[in-house]
Amino acid sequence: WGFLRGIGLVIRRQEFSPAHITITVESAKVGAPCPSCGRVSRSRHSSYTRLLMDLPADGRTVNIQLLVRRFRCRNPACRRRVFAERFPQLVRPHARRTERLENLLTRIGVLLGGEAGARLSQDLHVPVSPDTMLRLLYVSVKSRLSRNFGADRKRERGFPT
């Protein structure tokens, strides 16, 4: 699980069963930057656990229990009073799958579509529905289109892209 250590996480516990692997991790950092103002805070407010699905390993599903700390923003000019630390290399805010798994599922969806992609993902020990496969495709295409549209608009206005 070297990639977890590489992004500043500490493994607290590992549990293995014939069908699942569960890894409990938390940040090794003392504080976290406020997403609104960027000021680093060390003033802890509370914490909670997120359950994330990751790429399968050894024919088993892998779940990551991510212990997320909430901090108080001490910047008086900032509108955000309490914020949760973020892990952009691992997972998007509010997501339940790691970025690595989302990328794999999106690629499968591009190649196979919804139904066939869902069947393959089931065989790979990553159960998702055909609707989820299509939703991932939609989000991927939508983000690419918006990036291209923004570049086209800049080009029309004479800005370099």
Side-chain angles (χ1 to χ4, degrees):
W1 314 118
F3 81 97
L4 293 171
R5 291 184 192 97
I7 59 174
L9 297 174
V10 177
I11 297 173
R12 294 292 177 209
R13 191 171 72 219
Q14 299 178 45
E15 297 173 19
F16 299 93
S17 74
H20 307 283
I21 299 173
T22 303
I23 305 164
T24 304
V25 297
E26 66 181 338
S27 177
K29 298 175 184 169
V30 177
C34 173
S36 296
C37 69
R39 185 174 183 176
V40 176
S41 175
R42 293 181 176 178
S43 176
R44 286 191 57 177
H45 178 272
S46 59
S47 63
Y48 63 95
T49 302
R50 288 179 67 181
L51 186 61
L52 309 172
M53 184 180 270
D54 193 27
L55 293 174
D58 194 27
R60 296 184 269 189
T61 59
V62 176
N63 292 311
I64 298 174
Q65 284 187 341
L66 179 63
L67 300 170
V68 181
R69 300 171 297 174
R70 293 172 57 97
F71 292 92
R72 290 180 182 87
C73 183
R74 295 295 189 190
N75 182 356
C78 184
R79 291 180 27 205
R80 193 177 293 228
R81 295 289 168 232
V82 178
F83 65 92
E85 63 185 330
R86 298 195 176 181
F87 304 93
Q89 303 95 344
L90 180 65
V91 65
R92 288 180 293 110
H94 310 290
R96 294 183 172 260
R97 288 182 291 272
T98 62
E99 284 290 322
R100 301 177 340 153
L101 181 58
E102 292 258 331
N103 291 337
L104 174 68
L105 292 173
T106 301
R107 289 180 184 154
I108 290 172
V110 166
L111 294 172
L112 299 177
E115 290 290 337
R119 284 193 301 272
L120 177 61
S121 68
Q122 183 75 34
D123 292 343
L124 295 174
H125 302 283
V126 184
V128 294
S129 71
D131 289 340
T132 298
M133 296 298 286
L134 294 176
R135 196 175 310 111
L136 289 170
L137 285 174
Y138 175 76
V139 169
S140 174
V141 168
K142 184 178 170 185
S143 68
R144 285 188 182 134
L145 286 176
S146 66
R147 280 194 302 259
N148 291 343
F149 180 73
D152 291 343
R153 297 289 289 169
K154 284 182 180 178
R155 206 175 298 116
E156 286 175 7
R157 295 179 182 164
F159 293 104
T161 53

